[in-house]
Each structure stands twice: as structure tokens, then as C-alpha cells.
Amino acid sequence: MVQGEAKAEGARPGEPRPIRRVAADLGVPDEHVLVYGHGKAKIDLDYLRSLPERDSKLVLVTAISPTPAGEGKTTTSIGLADGLARLGKRPVLALREPSMGPVFGIKGGAVGGGRAQVTPGDEINLHFTGDFAAIAEANNLLAAMADNALHFGTHDIDPRTVAIRRSIDMNDRSLRDVVIGLGGRLGGVTRESGFDITAASQVMATFCMADSLDDLRERLGRIVVGRSSAGDSVTAADLGAVGAMTAILKDALAPNLVQTLEGNPALVHGGPFANIAHGTNSVIATKAALKLGDVAVTEAGFGADLGAEKFFDIIGQTAGIAPDLTVVVATVRALKYHGGVALADLEEENAAAVRAGAVNLRRHCENLTEVFAQPVLVAVNRFAADTEAEIAAVRESVADLGIDVVLTDHFGRGGEGALDFADAVVKSLAKPSIAKSAYSLADSLEDKARAVVTRVYRGADVVFEPAAARELRRLEESGWGELPVCMAKTQYSFSTDPKALGAPEGFTVPIREVRLSAGAGFVVLISGSIMTMPGLPKRPSACDIDVVDGVIGGMH
Amino acid sequence: MVQGEAKAEGARPGEPRPIRRVAADLGVPDEHVLVYGHGKAKIDLDYLRSLPERDSKLVLVTAISPTPAGEGKTTTSIGLADGLARLGKRPVLALREPSMGPVFGIKGGAVGGGRAQVTPGDEINLHFTGDFAAIAEANNLLAAMADNALHFGTHDIDPRTVAIRRSIDMNDRSLRDVVIGLGGRLGGVTRESGFDITAASQVMATFCMADSLDDLRERLGRIVVGRSSAGDSVTAADLGAVGAMTAILKDALAPNLVQTLEGNPALVHGGPFANIAHGTNSVIATKAALKLGDVAVTEAGFGADLGAEKFFDIIGQTAGIAPDLTVVVATVRALKYHGGVALADLEEENAAAVRAGAVNLRRHCENLTEVFAQPVLVAVNRFAADTEAEIAAVRESVADLGIDVVLTDHFGRGGEGALDFADAVVKSLAKPSIAKSAYSLADSLEDKARAVVTRVYRGADVVFEPAAARELRRLEESGWGELPVCMAKTQYSFSTDPKALGAPEGFTVPIREVRLSAGAGFVVLISGSIMTMPGLPKRPSACDIDVVDGVIGGMH
């Protein structure tokens, strides 16, 4: 069975292995495995820290610019791990944990699909081990303490500068823009504010960049809540919130262990946005995967211009993790879409459209090899309708770059369907590799942005609107100039126009807003309007979910 | 050591028993124990349902009207269980799970104190097994779906009637009264709303009254979200939210097992307010305690006029659980406070003040024996400063009612200090007992309220303000007349004046507002203003909390 032939069957396999067994196979002693309900566990942080570094390899899975046709980055990561295991490797996945809110909106869960899934899917898609709830609560404690400081006048904070928003793991458009502190003198100071979905909160980004509990504590203390009347930053540390926030996050920081449908280990931990944040699972989980296995497989959000760029430039330069191979996931369908074919016509053979759309794939591949100096492999996630001519078109598009294209059918056949893919990965990993960044941390913030825009997006230039330019200068002057930049733009195009598919050129990237994410350790540069609180659609998918005889149905 | 001699040492005992062992001692097979992190587990609901009823006894622990001097209801419940275990009984505690928000405000945790605690205290006080987060999320999904229905116009709901508020487990006064749906056409319908702390949400009350997952699903469907333009109720079922809400709550509904410092089992599950809700742990946990042990010990919120009244009238009449003995907890200090002594002077001997204040204890005892037909035992939670003369005054105050007064020092000495108390409980339980209610469900809502006010509070009458009277009539006409009533008034007095300590008389109870809690299955009658979203104090206790070397400190 390949994708398109049958629907995903949902993550309800016959018999998953006991999670303690999965941990034991990784060599984790039982006393360091904290089981959380059915088939989920956390691995003790102190134990992980005590493990030596080993000569393991990291594979980064990224993709072409996303399309409504679907690429399947998560299924490809899972399929690769299952394939590697069949080749005798000891792979460990490191994946983002899904946000619950969108499950009730339009999208299905984020645990893979077909025979390439992590399990228990329903639980991972809902509360999992409570990490998202803890992150929202730490964020909301900080927000409550900030408003409390305004209410009692205990700290000099200008209410108009309060930057911290509350968070909730729900698609709830009515909370995007709100007025709080109404109801009279006892109800706090009235001001405009809003809620972000938890994945978009600064505490989420901070959590995912932290290397240890102490590092998390330090980072949380740097989060800027607002400014004093004199314009100085007021931080979470100034409010005395840091210890309590760390206490709330203490257990959450230990990475979560689950397994693929084929019983291979997956650390699913942390889930930041890939536009206003860096879009990758926690640094702790990736480092743990590298210590526990011989090949760690991780993924980066959206296309390679966003997720992979941030992996090399932010994670690579500040957390000291570098991939040994980058896999770019594409589908024939998605390339046809980039080539101008309408969604409804994607089933029809159209090699010319594949060729036209493959300029998107090619540019991502060039960036990865030329800017980031990575070995690259293209994985085509197979669908039943794909033809030989179309696949040949994909191969041709990157042949002169020396990049191999492998087909994989993990969706339909699990690890068995990903054997060629896994074999190509093993061969690549046998060769030495390096990874570079698009800019140096010593560059100015503006030059860093320019490097990403001109070298990775291949735009003409970056342009800062006046308010953004002022804020950028202020941050440089306040000593934040050595942070990496985190670009927030549409994921659908290299440019800022979501309709400019393929490989647009000549565009400029206007930066409208600059936000310091001091806890995470980057400066967010926002182009256009980035939605940090999604809404529900007219008919929410929540309407299809039910529990019958104790089993959740309709959550796909 | 007795209370007052030394501070509580915090819940960090040497070596708690493995929680699987605690479960095994209760006879729960390992496959029905879902471990959640350190020392916490959930017990499978299907397994619990499969167990036969047994001839076990239920002890309800309640108290005099609460004072700032402290009574120690939770420590007394825990001490009783530890004492019973030392007498060879198989006690199982059923307690409310604490709300996290107040931990960061002014109060310490809610896991007992001294040597009478449940453990792991830090974790129970924070996320525990995620139940509160799940309850907030189910509530907030319903709220988001209600506002989504307004936004898209998919249902006929008058925006001015939307009754569902969002919830968050945080003390955050700025969220009490808010305006949501700002930011233009894409931001939803602008309207006034607010947030309640999770413990005060209607989903919490509903969750705690549910008897099974199917029953929960039914109850959630009855929650009234708002009214149509014609005035008809629009429910969670009408919005199609029920299946998804049930999915969110599925795992949370299984009761949580932890242990006392002495290793005795405690089911800590559900934590509704005791004014706008019924103030007792989940029905599921109490029934499970009765199936798993030979003596179940549970507590009811606030004084006996609130928590115990609701236990007999709401739980007793609708969930079919009746106590076999009611313990009324008092302290000499608190009785002195009821007798008019200032907080600062409570250490001084004053038997006359004890006698004066004991009218409060006596009235609660009379209610329990006369109205609810219960065997009653008074437990005096000992402090170092208590004198023989003062304790004699307590004994005298209820002697003619045939009620025994026992001293207990579980705070200082654990179960060893509660042996006399436990022995008195065992002796009482050996005798047959009954339990009655203050009214019949067939009475009108107004007559039910009158019964509580005149028979339990001993006020002159209940008086409904015009809007409340209209709503009461509307509910009767809509078929809700057979529900029990849930009185929301100050906990500090039998009357509605928090300063009227002791045993006030001649007052009336004015009902300002009537709220249907259709999911929980009661009609809430509100006198005065009931705070459903606490605030943080000027210096939040969060400022004292920190994590050092991976250990949480300052959370007491």
C-alpha cells in the first residue's frame, strides 16, 4: 500500500511494546524511567547528563516549501528511523510534541500517518505528559505576576509596554485581542493584551533552547516583561517569578519517550512555532537522542528556508548541535503544486509541472549544500499516482548538484518501505561531514537578517520599517546584538508572498516588527502578520471526536 | 511534638513506598495501575467498576466554621487513616486534589502538614497527574466553540446570554472581568466575559459528580452555554462539543493514588469549590475508596454548614453515598476565635472564650445529629498551648448531645498520635447508622433553600431578590425543579455576614443570583459576592519558591 491508496488507519496498533522495555533497550536503567500512564515515559535529566557523549550521527529532516498537497516530514522521519532499525542501526527519533488546540480545529494529529506513526497517538495528541500545560502555566504565572505588580505598584512598569501575553493550548480567536483588568479597582489595571497558543509562547521557545534545569532557570530570568518609565527592561527575574516558573517546569523538562508503530524509540519533546520561534524539538531531546542511539533523526518545522535555516543558524551556533546529513522531503504532488497545478488536478501525470515546481526543491538543496555545507539527500515520499516520468523529473532537477533522490514508502509499508532510503542515509553518514551557518554571531543583527534574506531566501534585500529599525538599534545598544535572528515570515514561499511558489527572485523582505526573545536567546524579525493564536473553522473537527466504550474515535 | 511547637517539615519523607506496592496492597493488579511519574498512579476505571461493592464504612470529616486560626481538616483526615491502619484496619483516603494557583498566592499547599501529609507533596500541589489542566482544557474548548458559533453564526445564541467562562488554574485578578473578541472582524464577536480559577469551573463540578465516563459524557452534554433569541437553552451537546470534551477528560477521570507519609493509600481526585459547587473529591474516588478498603475517609470543604450539608443533600441524594460517621474537627484556638478572642491572643488560656465559641461547634453537631441523623465524633486537633481546662470546656459543650470529644496529635506524631481518635472511630462504626437529608428532591427549589437556611443555618428565612426569583421560577418551569440546591455563601458564619461568628440567629439569607449547574446536577443559589477568581497578594508566595539542585524549595 502506498499513500493515496488507502486512508491512514490511525495510531491503534495491535500491541505496542511496554515502554519500560523500549527504555531498557536504550540502556536506560529502570530507576531513571518515569512512566506516565499508557506507553509514555520521561527519562531522568540527571541520568541523561551523566551519560558520555558518543560518536553518533544526526540526521536533520526538512522539506520543500510546504503546500496543501502535503509533504510528510514527520512520517518520513519516523519511516527513516524504522528503516534504519531494520538495517541494524540503533536510531532514536527526536520530534516536536504536538499542540492540542489544532486537533480540535482543522488538522489531524501530528504523530505521523499510515504505518509511520508514533504511538500512543491519541495521548500524544492530547495532554501527553503535561508539558504543554506546564509551559502555559509557567507563562501565565509570569503574566499574572506582571499584572499584579501593576495592580499593587510594587514595580516600576509602564502598563503600555507589557509584552508578555497569556497562553492557552486552544484555537480560540476570541482571545487574540482582549482587554483585561476590568471590573473596578479590585480587578487590576485595565489594559489591552491577548493570548497566544502555547506553542507560540516565549516560555515554549525558552524551554526548547534550554540545556539543563539550571540553564532553563537562567533563561527564564532574562524574559523581558515590559519596560520601566525610564525605558529599562523589567524581567521575570526582577519580578521574582523565576524560581516558581522553574518549579512548574521541572518535571516537564525531562524528555518524553514513546515508540514508533515498529517499536523504535522516539523522544517527543517541546513544540515551538517555526516562524516566531525556531521550530524544533527541545535541545535536551536532540542531545539525549545522540547519547542514547547511534543515529538521531530529528525534524525542523516548515520548509528548509525556515526550520533548517534556524537549525543551522540558531541551534547550531548556540546549542552546539550540528547535523551530519540533511534530508529534504518532497512529494511529486507538492512539486506539481509548486509548478502551478491546481489541487484538484494533482492526480494527473504532469512531468513538466514537476520539472517547473522542482525549482523550489533545487533552491533548498543548493542552500543546504552551498550555504550550510551539508551533505543532502532528497527523499520522495511516494504516492500511488506518482509516475516514473515524474520521478525522473525530480531526479534530474538536482542531479547536477550531486544529490541523490531516493523513494520511500514508509506510509504504506513502514520501515520495510524505507529500506532504500535508510540505506542511502547510512552510506552518506559513513562519510565525513561539516555544517556551516549563514552568518556569524559577531555580525550585526541587520547583517544577520540580510544574510538569511539574500543567501537563503535569495531575495534582493531586507528592509526594516522605521519602528523595527529603531527597536533593532535599541537592542544592539542594549547588548543583544550577538544573538542570532529568528525570521518570522510565511512558510509557503521563499519570499513574503505566500502565493509566490517555486523559486521567486528579486523580492525584498520588509521587517515590520522586532521582538526580543531573551529567554530563548534570539531576536525575532517579523515580516507580515504572523498568527500566534489560530481560530477554529466553521465546523471544528472537535465535532467529529467522540469516546465510545472508552476508546477515542474521530481524532485523525 | 504537637502543633505549634515546630513548623511543618514539608512533605519530603525519607523513603516513600513504591506506588505500585501501595496499589498491590489494595489488591489492584499491576496492569490496572497507571503510574504517572514519581509516586503517583491512576487506577483503571473499568477495573474499579468490575469490583464488587463491599460492606465498608465511610467516615466524613468536616469542621466548625473556618477561622484564620486554622482547624486542620485535611491533616485530621490523614491522621485518622494512619491511626486506623495502626489498629489493623484497611483505610483508604478520598481527598480533593489541590488547585495550583493558590500555591503561588498566599496559602501553602493542600497536602496536610506535620506528620500527617500525603506525598509527593510538591507534585500533588503542582500539576499532579494533569487532571486540573484537562478540566480547564475541556472547559475552554467549550468556550472556544461557543464563541466560534457566534463568530460564524452557526447556532442561534444571543451573545449577551453566554454563560460559560474560560478557566485557568492561576490566581489572576486581571482575568476576572475582560472583554474578548476585539481586533476586528477576524477576532470573533466582541463581548464581556471572564475567567474562573479551574476549581470553580462548571466542568470541575460536573467531573466530580460523574459516576463513569458515559455518565460524564451525558452530564457534559447538559451544560448550558447560553440562550437562543427565543430564550431556549443552547447546550454543549447542541454545539457538538461533548465527544471532544469527554476525550480530553478520559484519562483524568481515573482516580489518582498516592500515599500518606506512613504509606497508607490516598485517592486524591477532583477539587471543586465548596460554595458554588459541592466541595468534595470526585464521586468516583469515594466509591473506589469504599470498594478498595474497609474504611473510607473523606472530607468536605469549609464548615459543616457548607461541605457536610452538601454531602448529605447533594451527594447523598444523587450519588447514593452516605457516611456512617461524621467527624467534626475543631481546635481550641479556633473555638477561642469564635468566642471573640483576637488572633494575636490565641495562645493565652481562656476557657471562658472556648465555652463562648463552642456554640459554633455545638450547632454543627446538633445539625449533624438532628437534621442528618448521623453519629458524630468531635476531634480536637491538638496544639501545644491547649490547656486541660480549655479541653474540658470543649467536652462540656457537646456532652448533653451524647457526643464524644477525642484529642488527636497526628500533626506532631502521625498515626501514633491519632490512636485514641481512630479507636473511637472504630467503636462508632461498629454500631448501625443512617444518614438523612435536610430536604427531599421532590420539594420545590425554594423550599429546598428554605430547609437549608432554617434547619441548618438556623436563619429566619431565605429571601430571593427579584431577578433570582424569576430565574428560580424559570428553572422550575423548564424541568430543573427536582435538582438539589447548592448554597454559595460565606464560609465564616452560619449567616451571610462573615463577621457573625459563633452561632448567630434571626438573620435572613438573601439570594442574589441563581445559576444552573446542569452538568453537575444542582442549582447554585448565590448570596453575596462569591469570588471565583482569586488574586495574588502584594508579595506572592511564588517569590519564595525556587529549585535548587533539582529540588523544589519554599513551597509550604
Side-chain angles (χ1 to χ4, degrees), chain A residues 35 37 100 127 137 147-148 151 166 172-174 176-179 181-182 186 217 243 248 536-537 545-546, chain B residues 35 37 100 127 137 147-148 151 166 172-174 176-179 181-182 186 217 243 248 536-537 545-546:
Chain A
V35 172
M100 185 172 66
H127 316 286
E137 284 153 355
D147 275 299
N148 199 56
H151 177 70
R166 287 166 178 78
D172 192 346
R173 79 167 57 71
S174 292
R176 270 177 208 156
D177 295 290
V178 303
V179 170
L182 295 167
L186 297 177
R217 198 182 172 293
I248 292 174
L536 294 170
I545 297 174
D546 206 350
Chain B
V35 173
M100 185 171 65
H127 316 287
E137 284 153 354
D147 275 299
N148 199 56
H151 177 69
R166 286 165 179 81
D172 193 345
R173 79 167 58 69
S174 292
R176 269 177 209 156
D177 295 290
V178 302
V179 170
L182 295 167
L186 297 177
R217 199 183 172 293
I248 292 174
L536 293 170
I545 297 175
D546 206 351

Side-chain angles (χ1 to χ4, degrees), chain B residues 150-182:
Chain B
L150 288 177
H151 177 69
F152 285 109
T154 51
H155 295 70
D156 171 17
I157 311 174
D158 180 342
R160 298 163 301 181
T161 66
V162 175
I164 187 101
R165 291 160 57 92
R166 286 165 179 81
S167 62
I168 182 175
D169 191 8
M170 196 55 66
N171 285 22
D172 193 345
R173 79 167 58 69
S174 292
L175 295 182
R176 269 177 209 156
D177 295 290
V178 302
V179 170
I180 62 173
L182 295 167

